[in-house]
Amino acid sequence: MSLKEKIIAESKRLGIDKIGFASAEPFTYLEESLREQKAKGHTSGFEHPVIEERIYPERTFENPQTIIAIALAYPTKIKEKVPRDEKRGMFARASWGIDYHDVLRDRLDKLIAFIQAQAASMEAAEDWRFAPQVDTGELVDVAAAQRAGLGFVGRNGLLITEEFGSFVYLGEIVTNITLAPDEEVPFGCGECTRCITACPTKALLGDGRMNAQRCLSYQTQTKGMMPEEYRKKMHNVIYGCDICQLVCPYNRGKDFHFHAEMEPEVETVYPKLKPMLSLSNKDFKVQFGHLSGSWRGKKPLQRNAIIALANVGDRSALPDIWRCATEDVRPVIRGTAYWAIGQLGVKEPALWLARLQECQSLDPEEEAQQELGPAIARLQAVLDKQAP
């Protein structure tokens, strides 16, 4: 067996669902697009900041020859029944189970250890070097995976594989070992534009790029006030967004349960919303700390839980939301609570109008105050309609 064949065989033994090999030549075709996206303000800010390092592997790795790309398929359906006891939120599927960064790094490290073990019987192998990365590195993961033949980049910007659709996590290893490259997979979306049509915020640009600032997944990860135009569109999903994947024909019927670490727990990925508003830091780490969706901390998820409670019309949550409005030290949480009270308080407009008016003289933060005016106006309009 060649070294490449040995690596492929070992990848299967390690539970890597798909592997491919690409040259480490520069991704020059990406440069114009990446610069244009940055100039237009379409980037999220979570990307690697140096465009040249995203395009030229040699900027961060001496003498790169090969990129070994891997994919692991993740579940799309939960085995447990989701209780209907009270209103719950939802994490997008890419945040189910243990943080995928940890799962992929484990597989990449084990694969590197295997390759290094082959060095004993091969000349010049003592000079082999490896740089693993999982979506926080320099390379554009989908571009590396496409070049390595794992799939093609769809109109939604995600890698679409033949076997698993786009429900895959991606990682890669840059190495100075020369290995035969695989063939790229041709673009397979044809004339289909279902993802573009379905995107509720029109974030997808139609050519595999997006305005990341408009993506609901991005909006659920920000730490400031969520712009009002996105709040109702997220419904009860408190982290991420699956819409462009769920409508994709390549994903129809796809649901794989190959990896125990990726199995979701219902109380974690479909959490009760009201208890989230009063979670301590310790409880947050226990319940959500192992998820990739916890990486931005507690505040964005609590903000999103308040929005979700308003979206699902849970008026029983008003006392909990009122506590956030009056007791929470974070202006973003108070401001979001004011907005939610304006949405949920319409059945008792006089009561909640008076309470919000009281907050106008008590809340010192402009960020929170900006939400009070529209919420008060909404409740006042309801009262005015009820007036004889």
Side-chain angles (χ1 to χ4, degrees), residues 274-328:
K274 283 192 289 188
M276 289 190 69
L277 306 192
S278 57
L279 270 182
S280 68
N281 290 334
K282 181 179 178 182
D283 289 340
F284 174 78
K285 288 179 181 178
V286 170
Q287 187 171 357
F288 303 111
H290 61 289
L291 301 180
S292 62
S294 71
W295 79 285
R296 295 286 279 172
K298 184 174 71 169
K299 183 169 77 170
L301 294 178
Q302 289 183 312
R303 176 202 65 184
N304 298 344
I306 295 171
I307 295 171
L309 283 164
N311 288 343
V312 299
D314 189 357
R315 290 194 298 276
S316 73
L318 275 166
D320 305 87
I321 295 172
W322 176 244
R323 277 192 290 274
C324 290
T326 55
E327 299 177 12
D328 203 290

Side-chain angles (χ1 to χ4, degrees), residues 4 20-24 65-67 147-149 178-184:
K4 178 178 175 179
F21 300 77
S23 78
Q65 294 298 314
T66 302
I67 300 170
R147 181 184 286 182
T178 301
L179 298 163
D182 294 315
E183 289 187 16
E184 288 194 26

Side-chain angles (χ1 to χ4, degrees), residues 76 152 154-156 158-167 187-198 204 242-256:
T76 65
F152 66 90
R155 292 194 191 278
N156 58 5
L158 300 174
L159 189 85
I160 298 175
T161 68
E162 180 182 0
E163 303 92 337
F164 314 115
S166 62
F167 295 115
F187 180 69
C189 289
E191 299 301 315
C192 179
T193 57
R194 292 185 192 182
C195 58
I196 299 165
T197 303
L204 301 179
D242 286 325
I243 292 170
C244 69
Q245 298 199 83
L246 294 175
V247 300
C248 177
Y250 282 100
N251 287 333
R252 190 175 294 122
K254 297 289 195 292
D255 179 34
F256 299 96

Side-chain angles (χ1 to χ4, degrees), residues 44-49 54 70 74 94-95 99-102 104-105 108 131-144 158 168-173 217 221 239 292-293 295:
S44 68
F46 301 150
E47 307 89 351
H48 185 73
R54 306 189 78 192
I70 70 167
Y74 58 85
S95 185
D99 188 336
Y100 67 91
H101 298 87
D102 298 332
L104 281 166
R105 285 192 194 106
L108 291 171
Q133 54 187 264
V134 181
D135 94 13
T136 54
E138 300 85 15
L139 296 182
V140 178
D141 295 297
V142 293
L158 300 174
V168 289
Y169 299 129
L170 303 174
E172 57 269 345
I173 302 165
S217 181
Q221 298 176 59
Y239 183 86
S292 62
W295 79 285

Side-chain angles (χ1 to χ4, degrees), residues 59-132:
R59 293 290 182 94
T60 56
F61 189 93
E62 184 183 354
N63 189 32
Q65 294 298 314
T66 302
I67 300 170
I68 304 172
I70 70 167
L72 271 66
Y74 58 85
T76 65
K77 296 177 183 177
I78 190 166
K79 293 180 179 178
E80 301 173 72
K81 189 172 183 180
V82 180
R84 302 179 68 87
D85 46 358
E86 61 180 274
K87 300 298 184 183
R88 292 174 178 262
M90 179 183 174
F91 282 77
R93 289 154 180 81
S95 185
W96 288 3
I98 293 173
D99 188 336
Y100 67 91
H101 298 87
D102 298 332
V103 177
L104 281 166
R105 285 192 194 106
D106 171 72
R107 301 298 196 279
L108 291 171
D109 289 344
K110 287 176 177 175
L111 192 61
I112 289 170
F114 169 80
I115 299 171
Q116 288 173 325
Q118 309 306 304
S121 59
M122 301 186 71
E123 294 181 11
E126 66 271 11
D127 297 324
W128 288 351
R129 289 177 295 105
F130 308 89

